[in-house]
Amino acid sequence: MLSTPDYSHFTGQDYEKIYEPSEDTFLFLDALEKDINFLNNLKPEIVVEIGPGSGLVINFLAKHLKDARKTFFIAADINKDACLATQLTSYKNNNDINIINCDLIEPLMDRLKNKVDVLLFNPPYVVTESEELGSRGLQAVWAGGADGRHVMDRVFNQLNKIITKNGVFYLVALKQNNIDDIEIYLSNLGFKMDVFMNRRAGIENLFILKFTRK
């Protein structure tokens, strides 16, 4: 069993500003552990996480990928506090993560054109009213708009521009996000979907979806 990155530096006060690692976070870690051989064989040169929050997920890969020192890790978050938190987690775990405070990866689109081997995204997936969208604070980590898909769909439309030929995209989703529709939407963009892991957590039915090019 692969170890979880150390995040003992966070306090309750920190979790008033960033997303506290929860069931979806640990499901994501379990999925990446399950797929670690695939990821090692992929030998990723660039790994990107959108919305790292506390930084556990990207630091997990930085900690456990076989050739992690040869991999360039990027974490991008619209929440400035999440950027600082991810930086602290990388220091705590002796990892080298490049952190950017921005909306998705908009400022990097040209430089990352078809260069991302692994894309990680635990999006704001909770179904909410549209007026709850647009926050740069803690609300941004969960408010997903209609079907919880507002931010997700923006990322979907960027995939063909950033993922490499053999690259992979891992996504956390809820049943309410309409998994079948996500599969059809991404299929039309040239990606095949694998329901890689599924777990019920209280009232939430969580999924880890894995996408690769057809």
Side-chain angles (χ1 to χ4, degrees):
M1 184 174 180
L2 301 180
S3 61
T4 299
D6 187 353
Y7 62 105
S8 60
H9 46 289
F10 294 127
T11 67
Q13 206 167 14
D14 293 311
Y15 296 135
E16 293 175 5
K17 299 176 182 178
I18 64 167
Y19 185 64
E20 182 175 359
S22 300
E23 288 89 349
D24 52 353
T25 313
F26 298 112
L27 178 62
F28 209 165
L29 298 188
D30 288 345
L32 294 175
E33 178 174 3
K34 179 181 175 183
D35 221 20
I36 198 68
N37 289 334
F38 167 84
L39 290 165
N40 280 328
N41 289 332
L42 183 62
K43 294 182 170 62
E45 294 183 8
I46 296 180
V47 172
V48 174
E49 182 175 14
I50 298 172
S54 63
L56 250 65
V57 174
I58 196 163
N59 274 283
F60 180 84
L61 283 189
K63 184 181 178 77
H64 294 298
L65 278 178
K66 190 188 300 181
D67 295 321
R69 296 299 173 190
K70 298 178 183 178
T71 302
F72 192 75
F73 293 92
I74 301 171
D77 205 301
I78 198 168
N79 180 346
K80 197 176 295 184
D81 292 303
C83 292
L84 293 171
T86 299
Q87 186 175 51
L88 286 173
T89 303
S90 69
Y91 291 162
K92 185 80 172 179
N93 292 274
N94 298 310
N95 293 323
D96 186 11
I97 311 289
N98 299 273
I99 300 150
I100 302 170
N101 179 212
C102 62
D103 182 18
L104 304 183
I105 51 171
E106 293 292 344
L108 302 174
M109 287 298 294
D110 289 340
R111 295 180 69 182
L112 292 178
K113 186 175 180 180
N114 297 123
K115 292 181 180 177
V116 177
D117 298 298
V118 179
L119 181 64
L120 310 164
F121 192 28
N122 184 357
Y125 51 62
V126 176
V127 179
T128 63
E129 299 296 328
S130 58
E131 53 265 26
E132 294 185 61
L133 298 169
S135 169
R136 285 181 171 264
L138 190 58
Q139 190 176 28
V141 308
W142 53 266
D147 296 326
R149 292 270 300 274
H150 178 78
V151 182
M152 256 187 242
D153 287 348
R154 289 180 60 204
V155 171
F156 295 163
N157 291 325
Q158 294 179 341
L159 290 180
N160 269 317
K161 299 174 186 175
I162 58 173
I163 298 290
T164 57
K165 180 182 177 182
N166 297 312
V168 60
F169 169 44
Y170 296 95
L171 175 75
V172 181
L174 272 182
K175 184 178 180 181
Q176 291 92 326
N177 301 143
N178 197 339
I179 305 300
D180 290 341
D181 183 68
I182 290 174
E183 181 173 20
I184 293 168
Y185 193 91
L186 270 292
S187 179
N188 289 334
L189 292 176
F191 292 86
K192 59 183 178 181
M193 184 184 88
D194 176 20
V195 178
F196 196 70
M197 202 170 275
N198 174 220
R199 182 179 299 163
R200 182 169 287 282
I203 62 170
E204 293 186 333
N205 194 358
L206 295 164
F207 292 82
I208 303 296
L209 307 178
K210 176 182 176 180
F211 298 92
T212 51
R213 291 190 184 275
K214 292 181 179 178

